[in-house]
Amino acid sequence: MGFDVLIDSMVSVFSSGSAIYVLLGVLLGLCFGVIPGLGGTTALALLIPVTFSMEALDAMYLAGGVMGATSFGGSITAILLNTPGTAPNAATTFDGYPLARQGKAGLAIGASATASALGGLIGLVTLLFVIPVARSVVLAFGPAEFFLLTMLGLVAIAVSSRGKLLRGLIAGGFGLMLAFVGTDTVSGELRFTLDTDYLWDGIPLVPTLTGMFAISQMIELGLKGGSVAGAVGDARQKISGVWDGVKAVFVHWPVLLRGSAIGTIIGAVPGLGGTVAAFMAYSSTVQSSRDPESFGKGNIVGVIAPESANNAKDGGSLVPTVAFGIPGSAETALFLGILVLHGIDPGPSILLDNQQEVYGLIVALTLSAVGASIIGLMFSRWLVLITYVNVHVLVPVVVTVSLTGVYVLDGKPGDVILAMIMGIVGYMMLRFDYPRLTLVIALVLGETAERSFHQTQMISDNDMLGFMAGRPQSLILIALTVLTLLLPALRRIRIAR
């Protein structure tokens, strides 16, 4: 395999007229990404029967277009309405929405579009180099590394809650409590289910995020009145900041590279996915910043980091998918269904027998990542006008669309009820200044941490430290965790000097 196959696939897309499938995938991905609660998973699920009569390569183009576009689509509502279109876009709300409140929605959208496109390209270029050694890369991560990765994320909770460490720990503890609801991954016993079947599988993430960020913000906005952007002057003046957002990504290129690297690495670890990648990229950016207090108040870097990680994870998640048939995310799990439907056997043989399809998918993801951002920039002047709509019109629409998206995802009325409950909880956290980020990270990582801990205990015969000490990749993760804990002290020393 090499770049000659990639070039042939690129030429084939345009010469055969298959680019129309990529465009359709981009438009579909943007639509499903913008609607809260839907996202690429739902879009691919609906596409599986549609692709049955298509050629395998055209199906790759259509699926790739959807996968590459939903991430940026979800960032639009995350920035404009504080309503993440997809779960990973929740990290974008922390600084994207404050920018919209300041009348700088164009700046945030410009940065999001550029970071998404470049992050996707970096992730896919990394994938091209990793494919030849994908087998050894994926096999390097076992239960011990899963556990240490989650510990690294949980440590970031305590460190990122600057100025309100105790409140951050309380929110993180509440998130862990929610993560432990449902069936015990080891014993199979039911825990904290309140005698209801709905909680047997635990607290679902999408309704929780929708309530925590969308519903809670609509409650606050409805009580305040006015508009999202408020009285900040002429709309056209603020919309002109789109290109300033594009430039900001190149000015802060180290943040782009770090976010893309985190997205690629986390995406390649099966089971973690884009939500963990986006939040870890955001947390690492806060920790390494010289002005951490500015985050959450409209720092453009807080948009660049999670959006670059969010799109870069697509390239990383394809590593275990094409190498072993192990989905790196929910979207790639459905993508495996499309592969099987077209008679393609996922696993190491796909790299030998189906090179054209694999590289066709990479071409589609590349075109969709760039295409979605271009379309977003073209229509950004009209999109930001949403922030000037009166909240008495906006709130009912957003709440209705959000709850509809939550219900359509699995068809469970309990999801709607949970979203409303978490909306009230999220509003109370806003009201009393408790960080919602810490709760979300703990909820996302809690189940993985518990399962990996028990697996590592069994594998190591209850000698976890000795087992980890003999694995270089574990030692690297331990060192990163310790460094994360020491960052606040090192920063204080630097400031004192």
Side-chain angles (χ1 to χ4, degrees), residues 13 47 66 93 140 173 196 234 259 283 292 365 370 399 433 478:
V13 170
L47 280 180
V66 170
T93 62
T196 173
D234 182 31
S283 297
L365 284 171
V370 176
V399 171
D433 197 25
I478 291 173

Side-chain angles (χ1 to χ4, degrees), residues 32-48:
F32 273 75
V34 166
I35 300 174
L38 295 185
T41 305
T42 305
L44 288 177
L46 295 175
L47 280 180
I48 289 179

Side-chain angles (χ1 to χ4, degrees), residues 130-410:
V130 167
I131 281 179
V133 293
R135 190 177 188 85
S136 58
V137 170
V138 177
L139 287 178
F141 283 83
E145 286 70 39
F146 275 92
F147 174 70
L148 290 173
L149 274 173
T150 56
M151 287 300 100
L152 180 59
L154 292 173
V155 164
I157 295 177
V159 176
S160 62
S161 303
R162 302 181 187 280
K164 40 190 174 183
L165 179 60
L166 180 58
R167 295 183 180 187
L169 290 175
I170 293 173
F174 185 62
L176 287 176
M177 289 171 58
L178 294 179
F180 297 147
V181 172
T183 306
D184 190 306
T185 55
V186 177
S187 65
E189 296 180 358
L190 295 176
R191 306 173 301 182
F192 318 120
T193 58
L194 303 177
D195 295 326
T196 173
D197 297 350
Y198 174 74
L199 295 177
W200 280 17
D201 294 327
I203 303 291
L205 184 61
V206 172
T208 300
L209 289 176
T210 301
M212 186 65 63
F213 295 103
I215 306 301
S216 64
Q217 198 63 52
M218 290 303 105
I219 293 175
E220 183 189 39
L221 203 57
L223 292 175
K224 286 184 176 180
S227 64
V228 173
V232 291
D234 182 31
R236 281 175 288 185
Q237 178 183 352
K238 302 302 177 183
I239 293 171
S240 64
V242 170
W243 295 109
D244 292 333
V246 175
K247 296 174 185 176
V249 177
F250 294 96
V251 171
H252 300 287
W253 60 268
V255 176
L256 171 72
L257 294 179
R258 181 172 59 242
S260 301
I262 291 174
T264 304
I265 295 171
I266 296 298
V269 181
L272 295 186
T275 305
V276 177
F279 280 118
M280 288 193 69
Y282 184 86
S283 297
S284 67
T285 303
V286 174
Q287 294 165 18
S288 60
S289 173
R290 295 184 178 181
D291 185 20
E293 289 75 16
S294 65
F295 286 84
K297 301 175 182 178
N299 191 328
I300 193 63
V301 173
V303 175
I304 297 171
E307 284 304 310
S308 60
N310 195 6
N311 263 39
K313 67 95 172 50
D314 290 329
S317 64
L318 285 175
V319 173
T321 304
V322 301
F324 301 104
I326 302 173
S329 64
E331 289 183 3
T332 52
L334 288 166
F335 173 68
L336 282 181
I338 296 178
L339 289 180
V340 174
L341 185 66
H342 288 83
I344 300 174
D345 183 24
S349 61
I350 193 176
L351 301 177
L352 300 174
D353 302 334
N354 302 98
Q355 291 186 30
Q356 190 176 13
E357 284 78 7
V358 171
Y359 281 95
L361 176 64
I362 293 174
V363 169
L365 284 171
T366 303
L367 293 176
S368 62
V370 176
S373 298
I374 292 175
I375 292 174
L377 289 174
M378 288 173 57
F379 290 97
S380 59
R381 290 179 176 272
W382 293 272
L383 290 173
V384 294
L385 295 177
I386 297 175
T387 61
Y388 293 88
V389 177
N390 191 284
V391 296
H392 297 300
V393 175
L394 191 64
V395 170
V397 174
V398 173
V399 171
T400 302
V401 172
S402 299
L403 295 182
T404 301
V406 166
Y407 178 74
V408 168
L409 191 61
D410 287 319

